[in-house]
Structure formats: structure tokens, C-alpha cells
Amino acid sequence: NGETMIRRTPPFNYIESVRNSRSKMMVVEGWPKGQNASETEAHVRSLLCNEAQNTANGNQIPVAYWGFFEEDSEGVLDIEFESEEGAMRAWDNLRRAMSSSQGVYGAEEDSRTDEIEVQPLQGGSYRLKIGELSLVARPIDMSMIMERILLDKENMKKFERTPNATISKDMDTISKDGKRIEAPLQQTSHTTETSPSETHDPPLSSKMTHDSYKKWQGKETPSLSQFTHCLNQMYQEHISLPPPSREWLHEYVRRIPSNQRQQTNTAEDTELKKQLVAQRNELCRDVANLVSCVKKSIDRGKIRALGSKDGYSMSDSLGRAMFIYSECPSTLDGLSNEMKQSITSNDGSDGKAVSPYEACIDVFNILRDLNLDIHPSHFSYAIRAACHEFRWEEAANLFLSQIDGDDTDMASGGFVPIDPSLGWDQPLEVGLYAVARDSLYKLKKAEEGEEDVDISPSKRVFETAMKMCMISPSGQENYILAAGSALGRAGLWRDCLDFSTDSNSISSYGPSIAAAAMLACIRCSRSSEAIYAYDFFMSGNQSAASEWQWAGGSTTAVKPLCRDLACMSMGNVKKGGFSRDAMRLFGELIDEDSPLSADALLGVAHSLEHDLDWQSSIQLLKGFIASIHREGSTSWRILSESLELSKIDAVTSEGTLSQSEQNDLLANILASVMRACNHEGQYGLAILMCSIANTSYDNDWIDCKENEPAKAIISQKIVAEKQQVLEAYIQSLDGLGCGFIVNELQNLRNTTFSIPRGRKRKGYTHAESWINAFVAMGRVLEATHEILLEGSDISGESRLLFERGVGRAMDHCIDSKQPAAALYLFDHASAAVAKKDKSLAGRVKSFFGVEDTSDLTGGSGAMFQSNDEIDVKSLRLSDPLLATIIKANGKLGEIEKARSAYYDGTLHLDDSALMTQSANNTLEVLLDIDINECMAFLDTMNVKFVNPSTFVVIAKRYAQNGIWPEIGEVYNRAKKGGAVSEELGLITMQAVCESELLNGKIIVLRKIVEDVSHLVGMKSNDWIHAKYWGIKRYVGFHYARLLMRWNDPKTSQKEELLFAINEMRQCAREGIATKNAPLECIVRIAQVYGTEGMIED
């Protein structure tokens, strides 16, 4: 559009540079000072930078910087990689070297190579032992850097300089032609005798602290070079401090009920905050004193009309002074007495704080006196300083003077294009915020009857935005969005919503006002109202808003930013109810290939969590992993900020997530999924999804041992580094009854965990079964990882072993009452095999049916369906694995899926194939529906599938339900098929005794005994004697004694006692332990017998 914006690049700052690049940096400490360690350095570089471990010719990870510096008594190696991915691969090399089977990196290389032993340390650091040398590789710790800076500054405060040092007369002279000649600065030596009148200036070096600046206070007139030099030092000190508190701008914050508040500030945080505030106040006063001194230099003619270069230098330095003012607290009035004392105790101040706004006005006067340009940045600094002091009218006038060009002292000539960049730290939003707060203040005054206000705050703010649009049409959308955001930060969400939904406003400002109204609600934590605004603007019922005046577009056109903000808002409504709408909007964004923000994606995850839709939550997590962490190209275009969507170039890679941002988003989505699973009792599934996500976060798998589950858990990087994931993991372990693992984790982390509130745990626990499942799952994930790394197809033998491992892990999950975890483990493993096995390509059909959790249609419904579901009829699974799948579906109550799995899984069978285990599990599942349907299924089974266990399953279910007559029919069918077993015989004997037969029960019992004894190759009496205690448990003592032919009721108990004693003696002779039943019989019956062997009266 012909506009050109020229900005001055900020000076290099070491602290900011390290902070922005710390994720790409690594430090190796402990090098011997003053010694040549080039050979050891080469070994360390080979360990860190080789793509292929233990391969000297592997591809090298690109390094941006590799250099040594000496610190105290040791040398330090600073390493910065060219990308975050490179740094992560270097850390992976250390982890692999630590967990290698040899335990020592380089042990199999040339004997001349020093062995490097890698040991883990706390905080993600590692110890590298190379011979007698011990090094430590650790990430950058910003707290240590800040502590070192503060320590250096504290030491410099103790440095005493000559008290009578002044500016040398010949230090600064101005020649007749106006050129400045500077003499070198010298410091008075403490060992040289000087006369009282002979003084020298201290050096203004980079190591000077603000104590040295006080020399200018009230009596000195620095030159331009001295002023810029001192102010630069103050600026460097200022930017080394943490960002200022946003509370100083008095932004609206919605009140939180006392029962929902979280105490996050510790005593140490409060003390640190006091120290930082005191430091900022002291620095602000020193800058003000320096500026007053330079003003004297101007008044005395020492600094005169400036040329181009010196003018730029003066303007830039004064701009830095205003920047410092804008990030300092206003006065001491709002501070506690302790903080006032901490500010004024060590500097000799009288406690009178500097007004940042008044200081900025002084700078404006200096710029005007020197006829220097006043830049928009100068206005933004002054506006922020005025906001700190509640001077809303002055702040608003400063901002409006750039647009209106009124004839005031602060006028800039008017019609200045305002930078349209969005953000709370940008001049645009801060300026509109000042206008909003000024309007709110005047509105309150009008309500009190003190003065009249003829315009609402929202109308004034949006009209201001419209004026800026006329000056710079290219930024019109951002101006409207910034107006809504500023109104929200001022707490005027209701006024903004009323103004935005008016038909005249919609016609005037177009679709952008919809996003502006939503932003106002979101800034005030009014998510439900933001959703209402979205529904209102997208309904298309506004007849007055027919077209957008600027672009000719319909106001009902769905804007990506509005949908993005709606998804974010839906996730913030904790009462739930918006998951379906969030999934629909998300599906539309994906179908249209539109970018979305990380907050919007997280909002979708939270909406699913609030509605307890754990199935769809898992599908969202799997889709994110597949899109960002598993595929070569990103199919979901995710931006770091919602407002990035308003940019024309949002589709470029400039706004996409970095590797660390992707990991943060992955951890947040995972934590949401785990919380949803935990609330519904799917604790094992939550842990499984954490293990799967960790392979994407860390590109590694679990190295688990049965006796060290806690170490295996904490070795997962996503658990160790992300507190929200750790808390959800702890809740999962508590739900599984693994409290002892929680205690071990507390010992390893040296901390105490508070168990979050979730679904009430049932009385029974399955800790041991789950530990077995966790170990088996870790092995399956490791095998899956190896399969994906293989370059060739899977052999038949390898696939059979893999199926066996998956089936074993699924069995352990089912035993620990976590069948959903079993099915999802199979889904994950089979999808990995399908990617490598060409025979499985294209066999994607519904099996798990997680898409049935949503009745959505179109793109939204398809988005939350599994794309890796395998058609069982094409897989040709083994009998144990298919049986486990059927059993898991049965435990989940998915009867039809279990039956379909059986039929689909047995279509490929020939005459030699037997799937008895799968058939039995199917029968068990069908028994839960209807016994008749189970018998009908039994009639359709192949005769080769019928075995004793099949009939035992049916008979047990009949017995549990008390349907005794039907057990006889089952026994007869088993007898005809040659499938009678001891257990079935005993159950049938119980059914005979429980039935209503009046006569002939003992005859039937003896017939069953004959069939069973014949089956095991024993005589009837021998089998009865061998199985007496079991028979008694099934049929009772009465029928058991008749089978033993103890027909006399008076002596039958004595006969049983003698039988038990003889069995005990027989066991003693054979050296085996006696069973409980005969021992209980001896103790019970012996109590009623006397010493003569007769029953006592």
C-alpha cells in the first residue's frame, strides 16, 4: 500500500539472547583449568553430535557455537545447537549411552578411545566419566545466571571510590566549530598522592553499577557521550530483570470464589517480588536524576542543537529512559511499610518516589527543547507510565493526540499511523486500554452526577479504532480486534457486547466486530458470554448487517478467528456441555485446512474432558500425535497465538509451533485425556496413553523392570518434566491401588503428592496385576518401536511372537479390570504392524467402534473416528489374541462387537484350525445376554470347537443363576460329544442335589461318578475317596456320606473323622502338606467326642 515503517533494532542483550535460545543450549562443566583436553573434547563431541550412536562416520548434528571459557577454578564448555531438534537428539544420545547394555560409551571402539561412562543426575543432568576426569552436562539454568548477575552487582556496591572524584576540566571541551573533543577518562589511584584541587573522574565502564550514577545528582552536567554511556548501562541492568507485573496496569480480573482460590505464592516469592520492586524504584530514581543532570547540561549550553547522528543518539537514549519509567511502579503509596523500608534503607533516599508519568513528561520537554522528533514509542511509554498511576485521562489524551492532532502541548501533528501489531505489550492495545479506562472513569462520575458523558466507552473506543483505520486502512482488522481486547481488559465486556450486537454497529464495523466482542468476553473470563456472541453473529439473523462495507463480504461468513476463539471458550466452561459443538467447529477447521491456535486445540480437549468423553479425547490426542510428532509434514497448521490468525501470512511457517511449544501442547492435551480417563475409572488407559505420548515427546520407550516400576515411570521424560502429567499419573496409580508406587515416587522426587479428587475408587485393588500389565505394555511399545525401525516386512515367526506378547499384555490388563486399555493397546500395536506389513495395507474397517461415541456427521464426525482400526477378518489372528479381544469387548459390555470379532476372526479357518479359546470367550459373552442365545450359538459351532471347557463355562453360568435343570441337559450334550470333565461332573452332581427330584438322586449321582471315574481311568470308589472333599463342597455332607457308603447317620461323623485322620497320616508319610479341608474336619468333629471315642451328651 506504499507505506514504509522503519524501526531501530534493539541493542544486543546477553540475558535475552540466552533466554530465547536456552532450549538449544547445553553446558559441560568440570574441565581442568589451563590443561589441553582436546582429545577428551573430541570424544565428548562424538558422543553428543553423532546421529548414529557409536559410529564415528555418522551424520553430525549441526552446532551453532562450541566454545570454552574459564570460570573460577574450572573450565566450562558452552554448546549451542542450530535447532531445538538437534539439542533434543544430543540429549537422546546421552540417554541411550546411559541405558546401553555395555553401560559405557565407546567400549567397543578402538582401544585408543577413552571410555565415557554416562550416569544420570537430578534436574536432567548427566555425569560423564572419562578416565579420571568427571564432567557434568546440564541444560541452561536461567536462575543461576540471574543469581550470578545479582551477586556481581552486590559486590560492585561494596567497591569504594574516591569520594572527591569529579569531572576533569579537560575531559570534555567544545571547539569553536561545534565539534566535540573527548579526553580519556582516568581514575584516581589510591596509591598516588594528589592535592585537594587535583581530581579525576571515575571511568564510566560497563562494570559500573547505579551507585556510580548518583554522582550526577544535582551537581554535575554530563556530556552527551557520558549521558548515553551511563543510560545504556542502566538500560542493560533494567532488561536483565524479569518482566514487570501486569498488575501495575490495573487490568480487570474476575473475582474467584474463596473456595476455588489457589495459594501459589510462597514466602520466597513474596520476598523476591519485594526485592525486584525495590530495585526498579531505585533504578527509576537514578534514571530521573541522570535525566535532570543532562537537562542542566542543556540549560548551561553544554549540550546544544544536535546534528543528525547526535540527535539520533540523544533521542534513542531518552527513549530508553522512558522505557525504564514505563516498567517501574508508580509511587510508594500502594506499597507495604516493609517494602518501603526495603526500597529506601540502603540508598539514603527520603522515601519520595519518582512519578514515572511526570518523568516521561520531562523527557517530552527535553525532546521539544532540542527540536528532536517524538516517536510513537515515546508516546506508548508515557501512556503505560500514566496507566500505572491511574491517570487515565492523561494517558487517553496522549494516545488520541497522535490521531487527532489537537493543538496541545503533547500533540504530534496528528494522523500518525499506529503500529497495528496485536498484543498486551504493544502500543495499540495499551493506548486503547487507556481510552477505555478513561471512558469508564467518566461514566462512573456521570452516574454519581458530577459531570455529563454523552458517549459509551465502547462507542468511544471503536470510533477511535475507526479513525486509525482511516489513517492506515491496512491495519483496520487489527484495530477493531484491539478495541475489543482493550475493552475486555478494562472490564467492559457487557458494554462491548451490547454495542457489538447492535445492528448499526455490525453494519459499520463488519465481521471483525464479532471477534472483537468475543475477545472482550474472553479477556474478562466470560467464556459462556463469548460463546453466546459467536452463536449470535453466526446465526445470520441480523437483517441490518447485510454486507461488510469495507470488503463486500457477508457478516455471517464464518471467520477462522471467531471459530478459534469459540473453541477456546468452550474449553474454559468447566460445567461442560459444549464438547459436540467444539468437535464440530474443530472438524470444520480441519476440513477447510484452516490454521488454528494451540489454545483452541487445547480448548477442544478441555471441552471433551469436562463432558467426560474420554473416547473422543483419546482420538484427538492420537490425531495430534500423528499430525505433529509422527508424520514428516504437519497436516494440522497450529499457531502459537489466536491473534496470529488475523495475519495474512498466518499460513506460513513463521507462526507455527516450535518443538518446545509442540511438546508443551502435547503434555497439556495428554494431561486432559488422563484426567478424563481417570474420572471414568479408565486408569490403565490413562497410563497407556501417557506411555504412547512419551514416545513422541522423548522419542523413547519405557525400560521397565518388574521390581522397579517407580523408576520406570519417572524415567518417562513427559512425566518427569510436566507437573500436570505427573499429577494425573498419580491419580491413575491411586485408582489402581498402587499406593506403594506413589510412595516410591515421592522418595525418588523427594516431595509429597496430593492425590487429586476423582472418581471414588472401588474397594478392590489390582496392583499386582497392573504391574504385570505395565511391564508387558512397556515391552509391547518397545517391540512396536523396533518394528517401525525395521526396513523390511515382518516375518511370520516374528509376527507370531509379537501377537503372543500383545495377547499376554492384554490379558494382564483385563485381569486388572482395565479392558479398555487392552483394546487400545491392540489398536496401537496393530496400527504399527500395518505400516510395515504389506499384507495388512488397506484393511481399515471399524472394529473398536470408538466413532460410535459421537453422532456427528461430516468432517467433524470423521475427525473423531479412528483411522487405524483393523479389519479382523483380514488379520488372521491367533486364537489366544482373538480370544483376548473378545473377552475385553465382553468386559466392556460390547456384546455385538465381541460376537462380530469372533465371526470375522474365524472366517479364514480350514478344517485343521481350532479356535476353542475364542469360542469359549464368545460363549461367556453371550451368556451375559441370554442363555438361549448362548445355546443357539453352541448349536452353530463346529464340532471340532467343542471341548470340556466349553460346557463348563455354560454350566457355571447356569449354576450362578440357579438354573439347575438345564445343567443336566448341558451334561448330556457334553457326554454325547465326548467332552465330559471332572469339573463338569461335579457341577452336574451339585445340580442333581439342588433339583426337586424326590427319589433316585443317589442313583443319578453314582451314574455321574461312574462316567467321570471312567474318564480318568479310576474305579468309582477310588475316585470318590480321592475327590471326597471336593464332592462334599458341591453336594453337601448328606450325599457325600451316602456316596462313601456311610449309611448310618449316627456313625457317619466318626467315619469322616477317621477318614480325615488317615488322610493326614498318609500325607505325613509322603512328606506333603495336608489340605485345609481334612484339618478343619478333625478340629470341628473332635470337639464333640470324648476320650472314650463316644459322642458326649
Side-chain angles (χ1 to χ4, degrees), residues 86-111:
M88 293 179 64
R89 292 198 297 270
W91 288 111
D92 290 341
N93 289 340
L94 287 175
R95 279 189 289 273
R96 280 192 288 266
M98 177 194 67
S99 60
S100 62
S101 58
Q102 293 83 5
V104 178
Y105 175 82
E108 298 181 356
E109 297 180 355
D110 194 338
S111 60

Short mmCIF file of all heavy atoms in Angstrom, two decimals, residues 86-111:
data_model
loop_
_atom_site.label_atom_id
_atom_site.label_comp_id
_atom_site.label_asym_id
_atom_site.label_seq_id
_atom_site.Cartn_x
_atom_site.Cartn_y
_atom_site.Cartn_z
N GLY A 86 17.98 -30.56 17.13
CA GLY A 86 19.35 -31.02 17.30
C GLY A 86 19.72 -31.17 18.75
O GLY A 86 20.39 -32.15 19.14
N ALA A 87 19.32 -30.22 19.58
CA ALA A 87 19.61 -30.32 21.01
C ALA A 87 18.92 -31.53 21.63
O ALA A 87 19.49 -32.23 22.46
CB ALA A 87 19.18 -29.04 21.72
N MET A 88 17.68 -31.78 21.23
CA MET A 88 16.96 -32.94 21.76
C MET A 88 17.63 -34.24 21.35
O MET A 88 17.71 -35.19 22.14
CB MET A 88 15.51 -32.91 21.28
CG MET A 88 14.69 -31.76 21.84
SD MET A 88 12.99 -31.75 21.24
CE MET A 88 12.39 -33.29 21.93
N ARG A 89 18.16 -34.30 20.13
CA ARG A 89 18.85 -35.51 19.72
C ARG A 89 20.15 -35.70 20.49
O ARG A 89 20.55 -36.83 20.78
CB ARG A 89 19.13 -35.46 18.21
CG ARG A 89 17.87 -35.54 17.35
CD ARG A 89 18.21 -35.92 15.91
NE ARG A 89 19.03 -34.92 15.27
CZ ARG A 89 18.55 -33.89 14.58
NH1 ARG A 89 17.23 -33.74 14.47
NH2 ARG A 89 19.33 -33.01 14.00
N ALA A 90 20.80 -34.61 20.84
CA ALA A 90 22.02 -34.72 21.66
C ALA A 90 21.70 -35.26 23.04
O ALA A 90 22.41 -36.12 23.57
CB ALA A 90 22.70 -33.35 21.76
N TRP A 91 20.60 -34.77 23.64
CA TRP A 91 20.19 -35.33 24.94
C TRP A 91 19.79 -36.79 24.79
O TRP A 91 20.02 -37.60 25.71
CB TRP A 91 19.03 -34.52 25.52
CG TRP A 91 19.42 -33.16 26.01
CD1 TRP A 91 19.09 -31.96 25.47
CD2 TRP A 91 20.25 -32.85 27.15
NE1 TRP A 91 19.64 -30.93 26.19
CE2 TRP A 91 20.35 -31.44 27.22
CE3 TRP A 91 20.90 -33.63 28.10
CZ2 TRP A 91 21.08 -30.81 28.21
CZ3 TRP A 91 21.63 -32.99 29.09
CH2 TRP A 91 21.72 -31.61 29.15
N ASP A 92 19.17 -37.15 23.66
CA ASP A 92 18.82 -38.55 23.43
C ASP A 92 20.07 -39.42 23.37
O ASP A 92 20.08 -40.56 23.84
CB ASP A 92 18.03 -38.69 22.13
CG ASP A 92 16.64 -38.11 22.24
OD1 ASP A 92 16.17 -37.95 23.38
OD2 ASP A 92 16.03 -37.80 21.20
N ASN A 93 21.16 -38.89 22.76
CA ASN A 93 22.40 -39.65 22.72
C ASN A 93 22.92 -39.94 24.12
O ASN A 93 23.43 -41.04 24.39
CB ASN A 93 23.46 -38.88 21.92
CG ASN A 93 23.16 -38.84 20.43
OD1 ASN A 93 22.40 -39.67 19.92
ND2 ASN A 93 23.73 -37.89 19.72
N LEU A 94 22.80 -38.98 25.02
CA LEU A 94 23.23 -39.20 26.40
C LEU A 94 22.36 -40.25 27.07
O LEU A 94 22.88 -41.12 27.80
CB LEU A 94 23.18 -37.89 27.18
CG LEU A 94 24.25 -36.85 26.86
CD1 LEU A 94 23.99 -35.56 27.62
CD2 LEU A 94 25.64 -37.38 27.19
N ARG A 95 21.05 -40.19 26.86
CA ARG A 95 20.18 -41.18 27.49
C ARG A 95 20.44 -42.58 26.94
O ARG A 95 20.44 -43.55 27.70
CB ARG A 95 18.72 -40.79 27.25
CG ARG A 95 18.21 -39.73 28.21
CD ARG A 95 16.71 -39.54 28.08
NE ARG A 95 16.37 -38.89 26.83
CZ ARG A 95 16.33 -37.57 26.68
NH1 ARG A 95 16.62 -36.78 27.69
NH2 ARG A 95 16.01 -37.03 25.53
N ARG A 96 20.68 -42.68 25.64
CA ARG A 96 20.95 -44.00 25.08
C ARG A 96 22.29 -44.54 25.58
O ARG A 96 22.43 -45.73 25.84
CB ARG A 96 20.93 -43.93 23.56
CG ARG A 96 19.52 -43.96 22.97
CD ARG A 96 19.57 -44.19 21.47
NE ARG A 96 20.07 -43.01 20.78
CZ ARG A 96 19.28 -42.07 20.29
NH1 ARG A 96 17.99 -42.17 20.41
NH2 ARG A 96 19.79 -41.02 19.67
N ALA A 97 23.28 -43.66 25.70
CA ALA A 97 24.57 -44.09 26.22
C ALA A 97 24.45 -44.55 27.66
O ALA A 97 25.11 -45.51 28.09
CB ALA A 97 25.59 -42.96 26.11
N MET A 98 23.57 -43.90 28.42
CA MET A 98 23.38 -44.28 29.82
C MET A 98 22.72 -45.65 29.93
O MET A 98 23.06 -46.46 30.79
CB MET A 98 22.53 -43.23 30.51
CG MET A 98 22.19 -43.54 31.96
SD MET A 98 20.87 -42.49 32.59
CE MET A 98 19.50 -43.07 31.59
N SER A 99 21.75 -45.92 29.04
CA SER A 99 20.97 -47.16 29.14
C SER A 99 21.48 -48.27 28.24
O SER A 99 20.82 -49.29 28.10
CB SER A 99 19.52 -46.86 28.79
OG SER A 99 19.42 -46.36 27.48
N SER A 100 22.65 -48.08 27.61
CA SER A 100 23.18 -49.11 26.72
C SER A 100 23.57 -50.34 27.52
O SER A 100 23.86 -50.29 28.71
CB SER A 100 24.39 -48.58 25.94
OG SER A 100 25.42 -48.24 26.84
N SER A 101 23.57 -51.47 26.85
CA SER A 101 23.87 -52.72 27.54
C SER A 101 25.29 -52.76 28.06
O SER A 101 25.58 -53.36 29.09
CB SER A 101 23.63 -53.90 26.57
OG SER A 101 24.45 -53.75 25.41
N GLN A 102 26.21 -52.12 27.35
CA GLN A 102 27.58 -52.09 27.84
C GLN A 102 27.73 -51.16 29.02
O GLN A 102 28.61 -51.34 29.85
CB GLN A 102 28.54 -51.64 26.73
CG GLN A 102 28.66 -52.63 25.58
CD GLN A 102 27.54 -52.47 24.58
OE1 GLN A 102 26.74 -51.55 24.69
NE2 GLN A 102 27.49 -53.36 23.60
N GLY A 103 26.86 -50.12 29.08
CA GLY A 103 26.95 -49.17 30.17
C GLY A 103 28.02 -48.14 29.98
O GLY A 103 28.12 -47.19 30.71
N VAL A 104 28.88 -48.32 28.98
CA VAL A 104 29.98 -47.39 28.74
C VAL A 104 30.02 -47.08 27.26
O VAL A 104 30.05 -47.99 26.44
CB VAL A 104 31.33 -47.98 29.20
CG1 VAL A 104 32.46 -47.03 28.89
CG2 VAL A 104 31.30 -48.31 30.68
N TYR A 105 29.99 -45.82 26.92
CA TYR A 105 30.05 -45.41 25.53
C TYR A 105 31.49 -45.53 25.04
O TYR A 105 32.43 -45.08 25.69
CB TYR A 105 29.57 -43.97 25.38
CG TYR A 105 29.71 -43.43 23.98
CD1 TYR A 105 28.76 -43.72 23.02
CD2 TYR A 105 30.81 -42.66 23.62
CE1 TYR A 105 28.86 -43.23 21.74
CE2 TYR A 105 30.95 -42.19 22.33
CZ TYR A 105 29.97 -42.47 21.39
OH TYR A 105 30.10 -41.99 20.13
N GLY A 106 31.65 -46.13 23.90
CA GLY A 106 32.98 -46.25 23.31
C GLY A 106 33.72 -47.48 23.74
O GLY A 106 34.89 -47.64 23.43
N ALA A 107 33.07 -48.39 24.48
CA ALA A 107 33.78 -49.56 24.98
C ALA A 107 34.15 -50.52 23.87
O ALA A 107 35.10 -51.28 23.99
CB ALA A 107 32.93 -50.29 26.02
N GLU A 108 33.40 -50.51 22.76
CA GLU A 108 33.68 -51.42 21.66
C GLU A 108 34.45 -50.76 20.53
O GLU A 108 34.63 -51.34 19.48
CB GLU A 108 32.35 -51.97 21.11
CG GLU A 108 31.57 -52.77 22.16
CD GLU A 108 30.29 -53.30 21.60
OE1 GLU A 108 30.00 -52.97 20.43
OE2 GLU A 108 29.59 -54.06 22.28
N GLU A 109 34.89 -49.55 20.73
CA GLU A 109 35.62 -48.87 19.68
C GLU A 109 37.11 -49.17 19.80
O GLU A 109 37.56 -50.05 20.54
CB GLU A 109 35.34 -47.37 19.77
CG GLU A 109 33.86 -47.03 19.54
CD GLU A 109 33.61 -45.54 19.64
OE1 GLU A 109 34.56 -44.82 19.98
OE2 GLU A 109 32.48 -45.12 19.38
N ASP A 110 37.87 -48.42 19.08
CA ASP A 110 39.31 -48.56 19.10
C ASP A 110 39.81 -48.43 20.53
O ASP A 110 39.33 -47.62 21.32
CB ASP A 110 39.94 -47.47 18.21
CG ASP A 110 41.41 -47.78 17.95
OD1 ASP A 110 42.00 -48.54 18.73
OD2 ASP A 110 41.93 -47.26 16.95
N SER A 111 40.79 -49.22 20.88
CA SER A 111 41.31 -49.22 22.25
C SER A 111 41.90 -47.88 22.62
O SER A 111 42.04 -47.56 23.79
CB SER A 111 42.37 -50.32 22.40
OG SER A 111 43.44 -50.10 21.48
#
